[in-house]
Amino acid sequence: MGRLRTITRRSFLVGSAAIAGGVAFGTYAVRQPHANPLAEGLGSGEATFNPWVRISPDRITLITPHADIGQGAVSMQAALIAEEMDLEWGEFDTDFGQPSAAYYNTAMAGEAAPFLSTDHSFGAEATRSAMGAMFKMMGFQGTGGSSSVADSFNKLRAAGATARETLKLAASQRTGVAASELKTEGGAVLLPDGTRLPYTELAAEAAALDPVQDVPLRDPSQWRLVGKPMQRLDVVAKSTGAQLYGIDLKLDSMVHAAVRVSPRRSALVSHDATAAEGMRGVKKIVPVTNGIAVVADNTWRAMTALDQITFEWAPAPYPAEMDGHWAEVGASFTEERLDKEWRNEGDVAAGMDGDGVVEAEYRTPYLAHQPMEPLNAVALVTDEGAEIWTSHQFPRFVQQKVAAVTGHDAGQVVLHNQFGGGSFGHRLEFENITLAAEIANQMRGTPVKLTFSREEDFAQDFPRQISMARGRGRVANGRIETVDLSIASVSSSRSQMGRIGMGVPGPDGQIVAGAWNAPYALPNLRVRGYAVPELAPTSSWRSVGASSNGFYIESFIDELCHAAGTDPMEERIRLCSYDVARKVLEAAAELSGWGSDLGAGRGRGVALVESFGVPVAEVVEVTATDAGIRIDKVCVVADVGTIVDPVNFENHMQGAVVWGLGHAMNCEITYADGMAEQTNFYTHEGMRMHQCPEILVKGLENGIHPKGIGEPPVPPAAPALANAIFAATGQRLREAPFNKFVDFL
Amino acid sequence: MQLTVNGKTYEADVEDDMPLLWVLRDELGLTGVKYGCGIAQCGACTVHIDGMAVRSCQTLAGSLEPGAEITTIEGLGAPDALHAVQQAWVEHQVAQCGYCQSGQIMQAAALLDMNPEPSDEEIDLVMSGNLCRCGTYVRIRAAIHAAADKLKEA
């Protein structure tokens, strides 16, 4: 077992098909569930039936192990359990639980298996299954890749059903009434005579029973919660200032820390802290990896003292100026750097013969994550172990990272996961955590809260990948005949996984995600990915590769539509070979009134991108005013199979559109002298309210499997906007941010 | 120094140049007010001073007039006694991560105090200093209109 774990960990293959047949697990080992972490430390009279439900004499606690970074994961998970368990909405506590292999995420594994959504071949299904088995075996607990709904949908309803049936069994044994005669409602078992036995009163008896397994799940027609508008459990707290985030926590005798770490990701050569020593409130100035931390009696005093320290940093391990970054990307369209030819249908070479050839080159910049809550962590290290309070999407890696700093075993590290004030991929990294642990390890017994200044957060942010695409295509007889798209990108997956000691030995699917799987059937279609060697280290940024690649392919398709003289919506619908995606396009056409006359100086653009298994179509409407482009309206349609909460779905569709548009319009991270030039929101803000258009949302449910909506509406936003600007002005934007080329109101 | 926050008097031993934000958060434990940028670029730290919305990260403790009435999100309303703006925020389910919403709500409440019936353009103008990285602006606009209606009825 130990050895198998080591092997699977080391050969972890994200985005690689090579796993099929690559790792052989015995079926028994894979099926055997991980131990229930709630079983340890169960109090007297408490019951647990699975890793998600704990019942005490006075309360019901639902464990929601997927991190909540603003996407509503706690409410979603609780709703799925409560649905089958017959709990009243909100009549329970929730808890993120302790990191555990039992909370492995198989949906994330499915996403890493790179097959078209339409591909249900034996090879595709076998690989998905093998990836799932590997993630289960590894106990890979993670929140990301818009996978929380997909991972939870059956698992958590089953957890609720198991708990319900076991409680009914306990009631049956107490009363002698057959379980089949019992009903459940509002957190209680109902006897035929109307007597209510609250679950909490049955806990002790239920704890003595083997949980009832393999309970059939209810038909959707019986759902009380799922699919209906619900009030998120956190919305009142988040409207009253009562919601606590990691940054708000206060422990007895806690001290406050601020850090400065090399903005070049290099060594600290020298520093002078004389001016900071002796400042009011300063308790300690300590070294940390590549930097210095100041510990004080409040956050402001720590930050203020830190500003008095002078630093000299070693040169950056990547090109100091942007020209060097772009030169490396541009030089990567070579045989040696070909990561994989992902799609090759028809005959691209022959399809390029004749008139009507179109060529274009595109690029997208580094971007920062920068959620509103600056990264922070509270750490307490003692000789016996470590505790950490923070919001993170990979809880078990947090334990390992802290343990590596303090010298404890990972099992001696307790993570108190917190509600996160946004993430967008930021909480997949560990700098705030390892730095907090380093400081606390030098002050054992004293809790330390580390808060990044916004400037420190920008400097340490691992940005989105930069990449370029070159498209060649040909149109004939009013149709698109041939598309040949080559994308050269640094690999954010390899960069990110490298920092948790994992390789990505196969080709990286994120280099081409959103483009290679475009749901189009063309006579000739080729998509190739080229891996650019690591430049500035990068990480997953909301929708990852598709955030760039959706822009490339959907801009290029649009250029070809115009070259062919065909309508961009009609041609996409004609080409769309995936039924679920085509219906999304058709719904977007209807919602937006596609084809109606907008008048002079106005235009519509459309884009369709599938990412994380979810096709999303967006139609953007713009007006070219004398003062610049105004975005008037966006219509966005997605198909997630099953919508768990239509309100939260709408909110996230709107938010993801704002995210996608705002960054494409206004944002980039650039390096000068080896450092990110953008240090706060005034140079990298996303979108503010005055730029936010009306956003109409529609959700379809034709897809087979329930999917997440956190990321998929991001990729179509940029190309739909660029295509709309072209329609309104005739100006084609092939590079983001667009505000380098046009003004926005 | 003495501060009046949410109708209560507090004593704080702080430097004159400590921003009110950190006095409230670290010294008085009022963590509903948020640190976002430290340079008045995001609005997460918005509080009211004598009814005016201000960025507490740029308001130095020593600059407070004696007797100034400071109101934070905790003083605007409570979970069981919501202010009209908070009610609208709950009904429209504005929040995603929620981190910016204290500032958004304080800014919106001050806006409605001065302009009980703002247009979309007026809302955009006043609210554009408050950044929401989750992008909840469509709902914020709708919630402000709804809160305006509630306040008119009241």
Side-chain angles (χ1 to χ4, degrees):
Chain A
M1 183 66 187
R3 178 167 159 70
L4 189 53
R5 247 186 208 157
T6 311
I7 291 167
T8 53
R9 180 71 45 77
R10 288 203 183 126
S11 57
F12 178 67
L13 310 177
V14 169
S16 169
I19 186 64
V23 180
F25 299 117
T27 306
Y28 172 76
V30 174
R31 280 202 186 144
Q32 191 180 39
H34 297 284
N36 179 356
L38 304 182
E40 272 181 61
L42 212 54
S44 125
E46 290 192 319
T48 179
F49 316 108
N50 52 56
W52 297 275
V53 179
R54 182 175 61 222
I55 303 185
S56 313
D58 63 340
R59 70 188 62 215
I60 296 167
T61 306
L62 307 183
I63 308 299
T64 57
H66 278 291
D68 199 318
I69 46 187
Q71 84 284 39
V74 164
S75 290
M76 178 275 294
Q77 294 169 94
L80 293 172
I81 303 169
E83 179 69 68
E84 287 282 345
M85 208 173 149
D86 288 333
L87 300 176
E88 280 306 302
W89 186 235
E91 297 292 308
F92 47 78
D93 293 344
T94 66
D95 191 306
F96 289 110
Q98 270 304 296
S100 170
Y103 303 121
Y104 62 84
N105 180 341
T106 48
M108 226 169 172
E111 187 52 42
F115 294 93
L116 293 176
S117 287
T118 46
D119 188 348
H120 296 289
S121 65
F122 175 77
E125 295 295 344
T127 304
R128 288 184 187 116
S129 171
M131 292 294 282
M134 189 177 73
F135 273 56
K136 182 174 179 178
M137 194 72 194
M138 287 168 49
F140 191 95
Q141 182 185 0
T143 301
S146 294
S147 66
S148 295
V149 166
D151 179 51
S152 304
F153 196 75
N154 289 336
K155 210 188 275 184
L156 296 200
R157 284 186 301 142
T162 292
R164 180 192 76 224
E165 291 303 314
T166 310
L167 288 156
K168 278 166 70 178
L169 188 60
S172 170
Q173 294 195 350
R174 183 197 287 190
T175 61
V177 179
S180 58
E181 300 292 310
L182 299 172
K183 291 194 166 64
T184 49
E185 186 188 278
V189 177
L190 295 187
L191 302 186
D193 67 2
T195 307
R196 289 172 57 87
L197 300 175
Y199 291 163
T200 46
E201 287 179 17
L202 292 164
E205 290 149 84
L209 302 172
D210 281 338
V212 179
Q213 298 295 348
D214 299 323
V215 183
L217 297 178
R218 286 175 176 156
D219 186 81
S221 63
Q222 296 175 273
W223 289 343
R224 298 172 299 122
L225 300 170
V226 176
K228 315 279 192 299
M230 54 184 101
Q231 182 172 303
R232 266 174 58 163
L233 297 167
D234 53 0
V235 78
V236 172
K238 286 180 174 178
S239 306
T240 53
Q243 177 67 58
L244 289 181
Y245 303 84
I247 202 169
D248 300 323
L249 301 182
K250 188 169 188 180
L251 274 61
D252 285 345
S253 74
M254 183 178 83
V255 293
H256 300 257
V259 287
R260 188 137 313 145
V261 164
S262 173
R264 299 194 186 112
R265 305 195 192 285
S266 62
L268 171 61
V269 176
S270 66
H271 75 286
D272 181 353
T274 317
E277 289 161 4
M279 284 178 70
R280 182 175 169 188
V282 171
K283 292 172 176 293
K284 224 172 162 115
I285 297 174
V286 297
V288 292
T289 303
N290 296 338
I292 296 292
V294 174
V295 179
D297 61 359
N298 86 15
T299 311
W300 178 76
R301 291 188 184 120
M303 288 180 176
T304 305
L306 186 67
D307 282 340
Q308 298 304 312
I309 303 177
T310 56
F311 298 90
E312 188 191 342
W313 313 107
Y318 45 80
E321 310 295 327
M322 278 318 289
D323 288 354
H325 294 243
W326 285 117
E328 192 69 42
V329 180
S332 294
F333 294 93
T334 64
E335 264 318 299
E336 297 72 45
R337 293 188 179 175
L338 178 64
D339 200 45
K340 187 176 170 179
E341 180 173 284
W342 288 83
R343 199 155 165 190
N344 192 351
E345 291 161 8
D347 186 337
V348 168
M352 221 63 84
D353 272 354
D355 297 337
V357 171
V358 175
E359 289 184 308
E361 184 175 286
Y362 306 88
R363 55 173 74 185
T364 53
Y366 290 119
L367 288 169
H369 299 86
Q370 295 309 303
M372 288 302 299
E373 182 195 6
L375 290 187
N376 59 79
V378 178
L380 170 62
V381 181
T382 64
D383 292 346
E384 288 71 44
E387 285 185 84
I388 188 124
W389 291 258
T390 194
S391 167
H392 206 275
Q393 296 170 244
F394 284 148
R396 299 185 72 208
F397 291 119
V398 169
Q399 292 177 303
Q400 291 175 18
K401 287 282 187 181
V402 170
V405 169
T406 62
H408 295 98
D409 292 333
Q412 294 170 288
V413 178
V414 175
L415 166 65
H416 306 273
N417 218 344
Q418 303 293 311
F419 275 83
S423 172
F424 318 113
H426 209 27
R427 297 177 197 277
L428 294 163
E429 299 287 348
F430 302 88
E431 313 319 287
N432 54 320
I433 288 161
T434 52
L435 287 166
E438 283 189 39
I439 301 163
N441 199 36
Q442 296 175 66
M443 309 181 67
R444 286 193 173 201
T446 301
V448 178
K449 175 155 78 181
L450 170 64
T451 305
F452 282 3
S453 66
R454 180 58 64 188
E455 289 78 10
E456 191 65 23
D457 206 325
F458 263 93
Q460 294 197 42
D461 198 346
F462 295 100
R464 179 187 76 170
Q465 70 279 350
I466 49 167
S467 66
M468 288 172 65
R470 290 176 180 163
R472 288 191 80 221
R474 183 168 166 269
V475 298
N477 307 315
R479 291 181 167 189
I480 303 175
E481 288 293 314
T482 302
V483 170
D484 186 8
L485 188 70
S486 298
I487 298 167
S489 177
V490 294
S491 169
S492 59
S493 305
R494 287 189 188 121
S495 191
Q496 177 183 357
M497 298 314 277
R499 288 188 288 277
I500 45 178
M502 289 180 166
V504 185
D508 175 12
Q510 289 301 331
I511 289 176
V512 291
W516 85 273
N517 56 331
Y520 298 130
L522 284 151
N524 311 295
L525 172 60
R526 180 165 64 182
V527 179
R528 290 180 291 188
Y530 294 86
V532 181
E534 175 104 325
L535 295 165
T538 52
S539 190
S540 292
W541 184 92
R542 193 174 188 177
S543 79
V544 200
S547 71
S548 313
N549 304 326
F551 172 62
Y552 301 148
I553 191 155
E554 281 297 279
S555 295
F556 192 52
I557 291 278
D558 209 71
E559 295 206 42
L560 291 165
C561 288
H562 286 285
T566 182
D567 180 81
M569 178 69 83
E570 283 172 23
E571 182 68 351
R572 280 180 174 83
I573 290 173
R574 185 183 72 81
L575 292 171
C576 192
S577 54
Y578 177 32
D579 201 37
V580 175
R582 192 176 57 253
K583 286 174 180 163
V584 163
L585 266 177
E586 288 166 349
E590 196 188 331
L591 189 64
S592 64
W594 185 272
S596 69
D597 184 28
L598 287 172
R602 303 192 63 206
R604 279 191 196 97
V606 58
L608 166 72
V609 181
E610 184 189 319
S611 58
F612 309 96
V614 177
V616 184
E618 288 172 32
V619 175
V620 173
E621 247 178 62
V622 300
T623 301
T625 74
D626 291 342
I629 302 287
R630 181 181 70 228
I631 306 177
D632 299 311
K633 188 163 93 172
V634 176
C635 295
V636 51
V637 181
D639 194 317
V640 290
T642 302
I643 297 168
V644 175
D645 174 5
V647 180
N648 199 33
F649 175 84
E650 182 186 72
N651 199 345
H652 276 75
M653 289 274 271
Q654 292 166 334
V657 167
V658 168
W659 180 265
L661 291 177
H663 289 91
M665 291 157 67
N666 302 322
C667 296
E668 63 181 331
I669 291 291
T670 52
Y671 290 88
D673 193 21
M675 297 180 273
E677 293 184 283
Q678 294 72 20
T679 58
N680 208 315
F681 288 130
Y682 61 92
T683 43
H684 188 292
E685 62 193 11
M687 184 187 277
R688 290 181 182 274
M689 188 181 267
H690 68 277
Q691 292 187 322
C692 181
E694 178 187 9
I695 304 172
L696 302 181
V697 171
K698 190 174 173 65
L700 302 181
E701 299 184 294
N702 297 309
I704 302 167
H705 302 293
K707 299 278 187 185
I709 200 60
E711 297 168 275
V714 173
L721 174 60
N723 297 343
I725 292 171
F726 179 80
T729 67
Q731 183 177 359
R732 177 58 68 180
L733 300 175
R734 298 192 180 92
E735 180 181 341
F738 300 157
N739 67 1
K740 288 163 82 170
F741 310 99
V742 296
D743 291 326
F744 290 97
L745 289 186
Chain B
M1 65 184 299
Q2 243 184 19
L3 296 96
T4 308
V5 187
N6 302 330
K8 271 177 68 179
T9 306
Y10 293 86
E11 197 63 44
D13 175 20
V14 297
E15 300 86 324
D16 279 352
D17 61 344
M18 187 183 293
L20 176 60
L21 165 69
W22 296 111
V23 180
L24 293 170
R25 284 184 56 79
D26 280 6
E27 299 296 318
L28 309 186
L30 293 165
T31 53
V33 55
K34 297 304 187 204
Y35 166 61
C37 70
I39 55 169
Q41 285 293 303
C42 77
C45 67
T46 303
V47 299
H48 296 173
I49 298 180
D50 296 332
M52 298 283 290
V54 299
R55 307 298 187 232
S56 64
C57 76
Q58 295 302 305
T59 306
L60 303 186
S63 74
L64 292 166
E65 299 284 341
E69 296 274 351
I70 299 161
T71 309
T72 69
I73 186 80
E74 291 94 339
L76 190 71
D80 53 358
L82 297 172
H83 181 276
V85 173
Q86 293 171 315
Q87 276 175 31
W89 244 251
V90 170
E91 284 163 15
H92 285 263
Q93 300 220 47
V94 173
Q96 287 186 27
C97 90
Y99 192 80
C100 75
Q101 300 297 351
S102 293
Q104 304 275 5
I105 289 168
M106 295 307 283
Q107 186 67 58
L111 162 64
L112 292 175
D113 221 29
M114 289 187 295
N115 180 354
E117 215 167 338
S119 66
D120 275 350
E121 290 70 29
E122 288 165 337
I123 291 173
D124 286 0
L125 193 68
V126 171
M127 299 302 295
S128 276
N130 289 73
L131 195 62
C132 173
R133 296 278 291 162
C134 297
T136 61
Y137 300 126
V138 175
R139 305 182 101 73
I140 290 175
R141 250 186 230 135
I144 290 175
H145 286 304
D149 291 345
K150 279 179 204 294
L151 287 165
K152 259 187 295 181
E153 287 162 18

